[in-house]
Amino acid sequence: FAQGRGDAGALASFIGTVRDSAHGGDVSALDLEAYPGFTEKQIAQIEADARARFDVIDTLVIHRYGRMAPGEAIVLVAALSKHRREALQAVDYLMDRLKHEVPIWKREQLRDGAGVRWIGDLPRPPAD
């Protein structure tokens, strides 16, 4: 992503991870679901918007799906620019848009047989 980019002076990044406790309960795993194809198109559009809005050279978003344990990485967002401010602002913008606009459903698996809990405001995905 940034290797060999002599035109870049800044690389800002954010990595989101699974917490072991959230919303008042102990979490043993986090399941993330998305619509294949559609979700990736939305992420690509958000990246294009960030590149147009900020003076960045490039952006990178990697979002995982499936089951993850506490401590595992969920998302990587990065921005490459000539100066730090633009890179930092682009990363913040990308994360805000991802969290509020991209249809990714999160379901916490709770410890001690306490069940599951959906997180967020999106309508739930269809049952299998």
Side-chain angles (χ1 to χ4, degrees):
F1 171 70
Q3 189 172 4
R5 297 301 305 255
D7 55 343
L11 169 62
S13 64
F14 171 81
I15 296 174
T17 60
V18 178
R19 292 183 296 262
D20 64 0
S21 66
H23 308 98
D26 289 332
V27 175
S28 62
L30 181 67
D31 295 313
L32 286 103
E33 297 181 27
Y35 285 125
F38 179 72
T39 299
E40 291 83 1
K41 285 180 186 175
Q42 283 199 292
I43 291 172
Q45 182 59 57
I46 291 169
E47 282 190 85
D49 293 347
R51 288 190 297 271
R53 182 178 182 142
F54 301 97
D55 189 15
V56 294
I57 297 164
D58 204 357
T59 60
L60 175 68
V61 175
I62 299 172
H63 205 298
R64 295 180 59 208
Y65 311 101
R67 178 164 286 195
M68 287 160 254
E72 285 189 65
I74 301 169
V75 63
L76 165 69
V77 174
L80 191 63
S81 68
K82 291 181 182 180
H83 305 285
R84 74 177 155 78
R85 175 112 18 239
E86 290 84 3
L88 291 167
Q89 289 174 336
V91 166
D92 188 49
Y93 173 86
L94 286 162
M95 272 310 303
D96 280 348
R97 296 265 319 261
L98 285 171
K99 286 192 70 72
H100 294 102
E101 296 176 30
V102 177
I104 297 173
W105 294 273
K106 298 176 183 178
R107 182 177 54 214
E108 293 175 331
Q109 301 290 326
L110 304 177
R111 293 190 199 284
D112 301 326
V116 299
R117 177 177 43 219
W118 287 98
I119 303 169
D121 301 330
L122 292 172
R124 304 299 174 244
D128 294 337

